[in-house]
Amino acid sequence: MYAKWCDHNGAGSQISHTHYVTLRITRLMAIDVFTDLRKPEADLHPQFRTLRDLPEYAPARDQLRELQAAFVDPDGNFVEQFQTTGFDSRTFELFLFAMFIESAHEVDRRQHRPDFLISRDGLTVAVEAVTASAPSNSGIQPYFSMRKEQTPWERAEYVRNNVPIRLGSPLFSKLRQRYWLEPHVAGRPLVIAIQDFHTPGSLSTSSAALSLYLFGFEQEWYHDDDGALIITERKVDYHQVGVKKIPSGFFYQPEAENISAVLFCNSGTVPKFARMGQEGAYRSSAVRMLRYGTCYQHDPNATLPEGFVYEVGDPRNGRETWREGTVLIRNPNALQSLPDEWFGAAAEEDSVDGKHVTTFREPLLPYWTLTNIYPGHAPDRVIRRQAKQIYKMLSRSFPMLGAFNESFPP
């Protein structure tokens, strides 16, 4: 099932220490994200405590230890923030670091702002990472939580207004920082990478709401008499929730021409590190993992995503990449443009003559996924039974990527 979308090529999903020595990095401060800072347990982020303590997260811990061996902390506060209030943001930065290495970029983190300078083929690009937080900016949100049942109209309103407002606030704040005036950024492309933690379940939202806000137009669709999908574009002037109202079309706001693109991500989290470790050098016999969710359906007339479920580390299912699920949305008004395929995202979106165009760099583009972890001694029949229940649950709403027995033979 999943294997037919995962014939990956390129650098591969496992980061090697050999690759690290090619990076031109000055070690300003060695970090250990698991070092004991002598803080009260109540002050530590609950997801950090889970990552640190539970045996089933051994693949994630080992994968993070490999990454931190070459990760630079120019400010000296990365570990403290990773363990406390900045866990989501700092995890996202480590994810981006892994993605850039996989894409054969040289990574420079010596500067204090923005977060990264990445270079390849004679081009250097500045990257600033940001996360959308809870409205109070103090809440700790779970990675995924099924929202209360929404009607189609409520869901459409949520995507059209709530999500753009929550993503627009941190993007506008970063715009006001004017990173392009920094000497090491001036004249170079500047990308803002964003991940959404503003509410439980926000990681289940695709890039559609962000694209709507950035370009300032939404898509409407219908099937003609022959069953062909017809898509039209409609301009959106603003987004509003209650008294909160913001203009749409971030790329058309004053000074936004200095932003070359925005990178959307919803997978820079601990489960990603766990899966990558389990598929690579840090496989643990103490755990088994089932991953499931929905992804883009490669049918020109489809209006629903496809569902999938597979066991992580099963060689029949191919290998996940770091960039999987990331979407680079390019600014049509950018002063400094980005070459196609240079950045390393799994998909790229452009506005061409007022039309929304998506180019896929990988066949699998997940919209949301969950990873269930089981004891390593769980027998095959138990894993198969769990997978079959998930498959049946997803198939009630979505077409599935292949027959169940293709990935879980009897």
Side-chain angles (χ1 to χ4, degrees):
M1 177 182 66
Y2 177 78
K4 69 175 181 178
W5 299 121
C6 280
D7 185 17
H8 299 311
N9 52 28
S13 61
Q14 187 65 35
I15 300 171
S16 68
H17 290 287
T18 303
H19 196 170
Y20 281 141
V21 301
T22 69
L23 304 178
R24 295 181 299 190
I25 293 178
T26 300
R27 291 192 181 221
L28 304 181
M29 180 179 295
I31 71 167
D32 178 1
V33 297
F34 299 106
T35 192
D36 187 355
L37 299 179
R38 305 296 181 183
K39 288 184 174 293
E41 286 291 294
D43 292 346
L44 300 178
H45 195 291
Q47 289 167 349
F48 169 74
R49 297 199 302 267
T50 296
L51 170 66
R52 180 196 62 187
D53 298 339
L54 296 188
E56 54 262 41
Y57 283 98
R61 289 193 293 271
D62 290 340
Q63 186 67 75
L64 283 165
R65 289 189 177 103
E66 181 186 332
L67 281 168
Q68 72 183 15
F71 192 80
V72 168
D73 177 15
D75 299 317
N77 59 9
F78 188 94
V79 174
E80 190 273 338
Q81 291 184 358
F82 180 85
Q83 295 187 12
T84 57
T85 58
F87 179 81
D88 294 327
S89 299
R90 302 292 83 82
T91 303
F92 183 39
E93 287 181 37
L94 286 164
F95 163 81
L96 290 171
F97 182 58
M99 173 185 161
F100 295 149
I101 294 173
E102 178 186 66
S103 300
H105 293 293
E106 294 178 351
V107 182
D108 185 351
R109 279 182 50 86
R110 290 172 294 179
Q111 65 289 331
H112 289 271
R113 48 174 269 163
D115 294 309
F116 300 92
L117 291 179
I118 60 174
S119 302
R120 194 180 74 195
D121 303 329
L123 176 64
T124 297
V125 173
V127 183
E128 174 68 6
V130 66
T131 55
S133 303
S136 65
N137 207 36
S138 61
I140 295 174
Q141 303 299 337
Y143 282 161
F144 190 94
S145 176
M146 297 301 289
R147 298 189 191 92
K148 67 177 183 178
E149 192 68 27
Q150 292 178 313
T151 66
W153 183 88
E154 288 174 330
R155 179 61 181 168
E157 282 298 299
Y158 180 80
V159 171
R160 191 181 188 276
N161 290 298
N162 293 66
V163 179
I165 286 176
R166 295 304 177 195
L167 295 180
S169 178
L171 287 176
F172 188 72
S173 296
K174 291 300 179 181
L175 181 64
R176 290 191 297 181
Q177 294 293 315
R178 295 180 172 173
Y179 295 104
W180 57 86
L181 298 180
E182 299 283 350
H184 54 280
V185 180
R188 290 171 167 167
L190 170 63
V191 175
I192 302 176
I194 189 167
Q195 184 155 273
D196 187 3
F197 293 96
H198 84 269
T199 189
S202 57
L203 290 172
S204 66
T205 302
S206 74
S207 63
L210 178 59
S211 298
L212 165 60
Y213 169 65
L214 295 177
F215 292 135
F217 60 78
E218 62 184 345
Q219 296 181 324
E220 297 179 333
W221 61 267
Y222 65 92
H223 287 105
D224 65 16
D225 293 340
D226 296 323
L229 180 65
I230 307 299
I231 298 176
T232 61
E233 316 283 356
R234 185 172 69 87
K235 188 175 184 299
V236 175
D237 295 320
Y238 61 89
H239 308 279
Q240 184 170 5
V241 176
V243 298
K244 179 72 172 180
K245 184 177 180 179
I246 65 170
S248 193
F250 174 82
F251 284 149
Y252 295 88
Q253 301 305 311
E255 298 192 301
E257 67 274 8
N258 294 287
I259 308 299
S260 301
V262 174
L263 180 77
F264 169 85
C265 176
N266 62 1
S267 61
T269 60
V270 169
K272 177 75 169 185
F273 292 92
R275 295 194 304 271
M276 299 302 282
Q278 186 73 358
E279 285 190 353
Y282 306 111
R283 183 176 181 84
S284 170
S285 60
V287 297
R288 298 182 73 171
M289 303 178 189
L290 286 178
R291 185 192 185 198
Y292 62 97
T294 63
C295 60
Y296 178 81
Q297 184 177 173
H298 291 266
D299 177 345
N301 297 315
T303 58
L304 286 175
E306 287 185 294
F308 66 88
V309 55
Y310 69 94
E311 182 170 6
V312 176
D314 187 327
R316 291 171 299 193
N317 298 319
R319 291 283 293 272
E320 185 176 351
T321 61
W322 284 103
R323 72 178 186 173
E324 185 184 277
T326 59
V327 181
L328 185 73
I329 307 169
R330 276 196 285 256
N331 185 353
N333 305 312
L335 295 177
Q336 306 292 334
S337 60
L338 278 171
D340 292 351
E341 297 190 67
W342 185 92
F343 196 82
E348 297 180 352
E349 295 185 8
D350 295 276
S351 177
V352 180
D353 297 327
K355 298 293 183 182
H356 190 171
V357 178
T358 302
T359 305
F360 295 93
R361 308 302 179 189
E362 286 200 354
L364 183 76
L365 182 67
Y367 289 145
W368 65 264
T369 73
L370 285 174
T371 304
N372 289 356
I373 300 180
Y374 305 89
H377 57 73
D380 288 344
R381 68 178 182 278
V382 171
I383 298 300
R384 190 175 191 278
R385 182 169 64 247
Q386 294 291 320
K388 192 168 187 177
Q389 290 174 357
I390 294 170
Y391 187 94
K392 286 183 177 179
M393 179 269 295
L394 287 172
S395 65
R396 296 190 189 107
S397 302
F398 309 103
M400 299 299 291
L401 271 173
F404 177 77
N405 286 338
E406 291 179 14
S407 286
F408 297 93

